[in-house]
Amino acid sequence: MSGWTRKDLLGLDELSADELRIILDTAKAFKGVGERSLKKVPALRGHTMVNFFVEPSTRTRTSFELAAMRLSADVVNISATASSLQKGESLKDTALNLEALRADIIVLRHSSAGASRFLAERLKASIINAGDGAHEHPTQGLLDIFTMIEKRGSLEGAEVAIIGDILFSRVARSNIYALNKLGAKVTLVGPSTLVPKAFEKLGVKVAHRIDDILETADVVNLLRIQHERQRKEYFPGIGEYIKLFGLTKARAERLKPGCLIMHPGPINRGVEIDSDVADGDQSVILEQVTNGLAVRMAVLYLCAGGVGLPS
Amino acid sequence: MSTLRIFNGRIIDPANGRDEKADLWIRDGIIIETPADGSKADSEIDAKGRIVAPGLIDIHVHFREPGQSHKETIGTGSQAAAAGGFTSVVCMPNTSPAADNAGTITLIREKAAASSCVNIFTTGAITKGLAGEELAPYNAMVGAGIVAITDDGHCVQNHEVMRRAVEYARMFGLVVLDHCQDYSLVGGGVMNEGEWSLRLGLPGWPRIGEEIIVMRNILLADLCDSPIHCQHISSGGSVRLIREARARGVKISGEVCPHHIALTDDRLQTFDSNYKMNPPLRTERDIEAIIGGIADGTLDILCSDHAPHAKYEKEVELDQAPFGILGLETEFGLFSDILVHKKKAIDMARLIELYTAKPAKLLSLDRGTLSVGAPGDVTLIDPDLEWVYDKEQSPSLSRNTPFHGTEMKGRAVQTIVAGKTVWSL
């Protein structure tokens, strides 16, 4: 399959179903590479990737770094505290400097929605969005979907419940956009303050009782409560949240036997998910992390101009 | 002694209910009767095909002087005003330092006298430092020449402070202009709260953040029996509240900026900060309600909220960009295009009234009329001229406009202040 023409990956909202499939197919091929003893391919030899993380991250940054290394790219990591943004330099100027150093790919994590688009419109380098505010986290959405498809085949008609803090979640948005395009039926579950009814305009169902989805879901994707993004209280406390929306053992037992339990991490054991449930048979949380590597290799490869599938 | 005769034009002077073909004479900057003796004027303007209107008035502009003259000066702002057909503007007090004292206001007026090509009216702050806590010295500021008070850009959150402000302002006959924004409801909102803010993951600025302050102002205007003018109305709900209150005789009024009826919040999907202003762009539903409010007289002031910002200030992450856009050069054309030509909500005479007699009356300005004895401020208008805005031609120091390349119908083509042409197409 060919047809990838974008230099950037900014979000899943703007991708077609075909473009999503190109990435997923490419990721599948790269997953095979990851299972060999020699895990490195020369696809991006001579390319420079800058991991530009203005907002903290361990998992995503490491995953991109490893993905780039496996493609034989040279990798530089920049964090907010180490960058000149601290000295008052604008995002645009910092990025122009990175480009002047001939970075081919810039992976940007930023607290402002639209930050990656802002760079993509101004730089020749490929911009990969590694999370922009509450807007999108496309590679997380892709790895979630890659995992769902790997485990259960087509998503056509699949019931996917996304549970938790949807309002502030870029992961939820990227999931919603892509799942809708691939034919899944999405239900958002959470407190009415964090899952406002207006989300229905995005083509999803909204529920405020976890009971509504337990027996019908094919996938439950649990999101962390993002304290750092909430400027005020959206619910009275963690205790009440667990009682209403936590995936407790009792609730997990009511899930269909084949229902996948997913979480983008970092997990808060005992809050959105019971500790044993997180480690249980239906949990694919760590497989998501492994798949993230393959998905990010695919994204880097495609945006850097790679064509066809790696052999 | 110097005389000017404007002939061949259609005089529209809403303050006097005039709409007729006639000559207009100005002598030494003052409008006079057409001389009965058939004498010749020193200079003449042929206004064939033009409307001869009182000089347009914009009661809501930011000219950034003192303190931020890299964005705009009173001089460059006045040239932008003239290029939009405006002979008078009312400057907001959120300069640096804020215009919350007689000294700063005197400075602004001196700068204006030295550098402006149009009439500059000044406002003073409601509260010291626009902080919403202590009343600014209204008596001293009136002495320095303010025409109203406002904390524009900010909003007095404490209702007790606002009540005292309105009560105290009443003693001086000052109208209180209010930027209606409840901080607790709006928080860090950068765009209309709705489908698009959810899609884009941008913090929402809900309509109710405006409406609740409009309602507060209605209650205070009623309680104090003193006028409050709600600035830049963006929400359809605010229109309904104001309409209902005016029907009861409450001294409440509201103004509209062109971007709030020309653009909707889906524009933010490009994350272009030229679509970021405060209050934010909203939806078609709001636009319909606002146009309905203009059509039925609920909202009877039009203005720009001309808010210049340097390119490097606007060219940042959307949530970190300052609010506001340019407006003086495009506002008349946009309102003419939308209200008169496209929606046919009002006619050209009414549009002129909303830009002349109405603002003059609200702020008791000796302008906005072609009465004999009034200042010779005149705007010539081509009501059907089709034109395209080119921001690169702007005399403003800034370029932050979403209307570059926008086609409009209707334009001011000549601006005359006290009998002197300060701009013409």
Side-chain angles (χ1 to χ4, degrees), chain A residues 13 85 90-92 110-115 117-118 121-122 132-136 167 173 177 196 198-199 201-202 231-232, chain B residues 183-189 194-204 269-271 311-312 314-320:
Chain A
D13 193 18
L85 295 174
S90 72
L91 176 63
K92 184 188 171 192
H110 197 291
S111 58
S112 297
R117 174 179 296 275
F118 177 86
E121 286 170 355
R122 287 164 178 80
D132 61 329
H135 179 220
E136 284 227 45
L167 188 59
R173 284 176 179 78
Y177 297 139
F199 267 112
K201 290 184 180 149
L202 275 60
R231 60 188 162 85
K232 51 200 167 193
Chain B
Y183 291 175
S184 64
L185 284 164
V186 173
E195 179 186 346
W196 279 102
S197 68
L198 283 184
R199 277 189 178 279
L200 302 173
L202 285 166
Q269 65 190 287
T270 61
F271 292 95
K311 184 164 190 280
Y312 72 86
K314 273 294 223 189
E315 199 180 6
V316 296
E317 300 89 315
L318 185 76
D319 58 354
Q320 292 172 32

Side-chain angles (χ1 to χ4, degrees), chain B residues 46-285:
Chain B
D46 184 349
K48 191 168 187 324
R50 312 286 197 229
I51 290 168
V52 179
L56 306 181
I57 302 167
D58 184 338
I59 70 162
H60 194 144
V61 305
H62 298 269
F63 279 179
R64 309 302 189 199
E65 222 178 349
Q68 296 186 304
S69 52
H70 64 289
K71 298 173 194 260
E72 195 81 288
T73 65
I74 292 169
T76 58
S78 77
Q79 288 164 32
F86 290 85
T87 59
S88 296
V89 297
V90 177
C91 293
M92 295 298 107
N94 62 337
T95 47
S96 182
D100 62 357
N101 64 88
T104 303
I105 287 149
T106 301
L107 172 77
I108 292 168
R109 288 172 60 82
E110 284 171 359
K111 279 267 184 191
S115 64
S116 176
C117 64
V118 303
N119 306 299
I120 302 285
F121 293 97
T122 55
T123 54
I126 298 172
T127 60
K128 288 179 188 165
L130 311 171
E133 289 162 6
E134 299 170 70
L135 301 191
Y138 302 164
N139 181 54
M141 295 196 298
V142 167
I146 62 166
V147 297
I149 51 171
T150 174
D151 271 1
D152 182 48
H154 302 261
C155 178
V156 177
Q157 298 297 293
N158 184 310
H159 306 319
E160 159 68 9
V161 171
M162 189 64 172
R163 177 188 173 175
R164 297 300 165 217
V166 175
E167 282 179 344
Y168 192 66
R170 190 176 191 273
M171 185 163 74
F172 305 97
L174 282 173
V175 180
V176 179
L177 317 178
D178 197 26
H179 167 118
C180 303
Q181 176 179 350
D182 182 281
Y183 291 175
S184 64
L185 284 164
V186 173
V190 302
M191 70 172 291
N192 180 45
E193 180 183 291
E195 179 186 346
W196 279 102
S197 68
L198 283 184
R199 277 189 178 279
L200 302 173
L202 285 166
W205 195 133
R207 293 179 182 84
I208 192 175
E210 173 178 292
E211 293 159 1
I212 208 161
I213 297 295
V214 168
M215 193 68 235
R216 182 271 306 261
N217 290 343
I218 288 168
L219 295 170
L220 288 180
D222 197 10
L223 176 74
C224 307
D225 190 31
S226 193
I228 302 179
H229 174 74
C230 299
Q231 298 178 290
H232 41 47
I233 292 299
S234 68
S235 160
S238 300
V239 182
R240 187 170 50 77
L241 292 169
I242 293 170
R243 177 182 293 122
E244 182 271 341
R246 282 166 74 95
R248 287 191 288 117
V250 178
K251 292 173 179 163
I252 193 85
S253 56
E255 69 187 24
V256 180
C257 304
H259 43 271
H260 288 129
I261 65 162
L263 302 169
T264 47
D265 62 351
D266 58 313
R267 297 283 181 146
L268 271 303
Q269 65 190 287
T270 61
F271 292 95
D272 180 346
S273 64
N274 282 325
Y275 295 106
K276 180 181 176 185
M277 63 289 287
N278 191 9
L281 302 177
R282 299 203 188 272
T283 64
E284 285 296 343
R285 201 165 51 109

Side-chain angles (χ1 to χ4, degrees), chain A residues 48-54 76-79 83-85 89-108 119 123-127:
Chain A
T48 303
M49 184 191 89
V50 176
N51 248 339
F52 185 15
F53 276 62
V54 181
V76 182
N77 286 301
I78 301 173
S79 65
S83 80
S84 292
L85 295 174
E89 189 172 55
S90 72
L91 176 63
K92 184 188 171 192
D93 283 330
T94 303
L96 286 173
N97 277 278
L98 295 177
E99 185 154 87
L101 292 167
R102 299 290 178 262
D104 301 296
I105 304 170
I106 297 173
V107 177
L108 179 68
L119 287 195
L123 300 185
K124 288 187 283 297
S126 287
I127 308 298

Side-chain angles (χ1 to χ4, degrees), chain A residues 14-305:
Chain A
E14 64 192 28
L15 299 190
S16 66
D18 279 345
E19 286 176 309
L20 291 169
R21 288 191 194 101
I22 291 170
I23 300 174
L24 295 167
D25 287 347
T26 310
K28 198 170 169 186
F30 277 122
K31 188 166 182 189
V33 172
E35 278 151 13
R36 297 183 203 154
S37 58
L38 185 64
K39 296 183 176 59
K40 203 158 172 165
V41 294
L44 295 188
R45 181 181 292 158
H47 286 65
T48 303
M49 184 191 89
V50 176
N51 248 339
F52 185 15
F53 276 62
V54 181
E55 213 183 39
S57 156
T58 310
R59 187 182 334 262
T60 305
R61 187 179 57 74
T62 309
S63 180
F64 268 109
E65 187 171 357
L66 276 173
M69 290 167 118
R70 290 196 177 169
L71 293 168
S72 307
D74 297 319
V75 182
V76 182
N77 286 301
I78 301 173
S79 65
T81 44
S83 80
S84 292
L85 295 174
Q86 290 284 315
K87 301 173 189 163
E89 189 172 55
S90 72
L91 176 63
K92 184 188 171 192
D93 283 330
T94 303
L96 286 173
N97 277 278
L98 295 177
E99 185 154 87
L101 292 167
R102 299 290 178 262
D104 301 296
I105 304 170
I106 297 173
V107 177
L108 179 68
R109 158 73 58 98
H110 197 291
S111 58
S112 297
S116 53
R117 174 179 296 275
F118 177 86
L119 287 195
E121 286 170 355
R122 287 164 178 80
L123 300 185
K124 288 187 283 297
S126 287
I127 308 298
I128 311 298
N129 183 5
D132 61 329
H135 179 220
E136 284 227 45
H137 191 350
T139 56
Q140 180 69 45
L142 286 163
L143 75 88
D144 290 346
I145 283 159
F146 183 92
T147 307
M148 293 178 210
I149 292 175
E150 186 178 53
K151 290 287 168 189
R152 58 180 316 282
S154 166
L155 291 180
E156 196 64 50
E159 296 275 356
V160 179
I162 307 174
I163 304 172
D165 173 0
I166 311 292
L167 188 59
F168 294 94
S169 174
R170 52 193 173 212
V171 176
R173 284 176 179 78
S174 288
N175 264 276
I176 291 166
Y177 297 139
L179 287 167
N180 278 346
K181 286 180 183 144
L182 297 175
K185 294 179 184 162
V186 179
T187 304
L188 308 177
V189 186
S192 41
T193 44
L194 290 172
V195 192
K197 201 144 169 56
F199 267 112
E200 287 174 352
K201 290 184 180 149
L202 275 60
V204 297
K205 283 191 268 185
V206 166
H208 303 306
R209 299 190 327 160
I210 195 168
D211 283 351
D212 291 355
I213 58 91
L214 285 177
E215 278 139 33
T216 50
D218 297 307
V219 177
V220 293
N221 198 350
L222 300 157
L223 303 178
R224 187 173 60 90
I225 295 298
Q226 305 202 56
H227 299 287
E228 71 272 23
R229 278 187 210 293
Q230 292 178 15
R231 60 188 162 85
K232 51 200 167 193
E233 288 282 315
Y234 280 75
F235 53 88
I238 291 295
E240 194 148 314
Y241 183 85
I242 296 169
K243 222 166 180 93
L244 288 166
F245 299 104
L247 189 61
T248 58
K249 249 186 234 176
R251 283 178 178 143
E253 280 164 13
R254 292 170 56 200
L255 294 171
K256 292 202 280 196
C259 178
L260 303 178
I261 297 173
M262 305 180 71
H263 194 303
I267 63 173
N268 291 320
R269 287 177 186 269
V271 182
E272 66 269 8
I273 186 164
D274 175 87
S275 183
D276 290 344
V277 173
D279 299 331
D281 293 341
Q282 284 170 279
S283 165
V284 293
I285 295 171
L286 292 174
E287 286 172 73
Q288 288 173 262
V289 177
T290 306
N291 290 336
L293 201 48
V295 160
R296 291 182 176 114
M297 286 173 78
V299 167
L300 294 173
Y301 174 77
L302 290 169
C303 289

